[in-house]
Amino acid sequence: PTLLFGDSDKTFIYHGNEEYNTQAVKDLQIPVYEIGYEGGTIVGTAGDLSIGIFYPDTIDLRSDYILDKIVSILQNHGIAAEVDSNDVLVNGKKVLGSAHLTSNGFFVFVAYVSFSDKAELIQKICGDATKSPSHLIGISRSELIRGLSEWLL
C-alpha cells in the first residue's frame, strides 16, 4: 500500500458528480479539480489535510474499513466521531469527506480532513449542504498522520 499526505496553501475544490455554484467559484477564482468520483464537492483550504491511500484492488479492504479506522483514531483522542456514508461527522457535522474508485488494478481512497473553519465559504459554493460543515478540534494534523501511518505502514 501507498499512503500519501498533502496540504495546500491555497483554496481549491475537488469535484465529483454533484452540482455546485460555478459562478461563485469563478468569482472567487478558486481552481477546480475534476476528479469524477461519485459524490459531492470537497472544498480545501490552507491548514487542511489530504489523505491518499492506494493499493492493489486484489486486497479486500474498502473505504468503509478505512473510514472506521480513521474514526477509531479520532475516538482514541476523545473525539465523538462517526461514519456517515463517505464522510466522518463529529457532533453531527462533517469534518472529513472521502471518495474512492478502482482504476487500472488499484483501489484508490482519497479523503480531505478539515482543520479550518470554512462554513461560510462552503455555503457560497455548495449552498445548503445536507451535512453541516465543521472542522476537527482535539487532534493535530501530525497526530492524525502518525495514527494512520502506524496503522497502515
Side-chain angles (χ1 to χ4, degrees):
T2 301
L3 177 61
L4 299 174
F5 299 103
D7 57 14
S8 176
D9 59 354
K10 298 181 181 177
T11 300
F12 65 90
I13 291 173
Y14 291 149
H15 180 242
N17 65 351
E18 294 181 5
E19 293 184 24
Y20 65 97
N21 186 336
T22 56
Q23 187 59 51
V25 170
K26 183 178 178 182
D27 293 345
L28 294 166
Q29 300 179 353
I30 300 173
V32 177
Y33 300 97
E34 297 290 346
I35 307 298
Y37 56 83
E38 291 288 323
T41 302
I42 297 173
V43 179
T45 57
D48 294 339
L49 177 66
S50 292
I51 301 169
I53 302 174
F54 310 84
Y55 51 86
D57 64 8
T58 55
I59 297 174
D60 193 25
L61 300 176
R62 295 298 179 248
S63 60
D64 55 342
Y65 180 81
I66 298 168
L67 289 170
D68 286 343
K69 185 58 185 176
I70 292 170
V71 164
S72 174
I73 293 167
L74 297 177
Q75 290 173 344
N76 287 340
H77 281 80
I79 299 167
E82 63 181 331
V83 175
D84 182 17
S85 187
N86 284 334
D87 301 320
V88 172
L89 308 181
V90 173
N91 299 321
K93 296 190 176 190
K94 182 176 175 177
V95 297
L96 177 150
S98 75
H100 63 273
L101 58 96
T102 301
S103 179
N104 296 323
F106 282 88
F107 180 80
V108 179
F109 173 89
V110 293
Y112 201 79
V113 186
S114 181
F115 282 92
S116 60
D117 183 2
K118 55 184 171 284
E120 186 176 317
L121 178 61
I122 291 172
Q123 171 68 31
K124 287 179 186 176
I125 295 168
C126 300
D128 291 323
T130 56
K131 297 174 189 168
S132 298
S134 189
H135 59 286
L136 271 178
I137 298 172
I139 188 172
S140 68
R141 287 169 35 105
S142 61
E143 289 171 320
L144 182 56
I145 289 170
R146 185 172 40 257
L148 285 169
S149 297
E150 289 172 356
W151 162 66
L152 191 61
L153 305 176

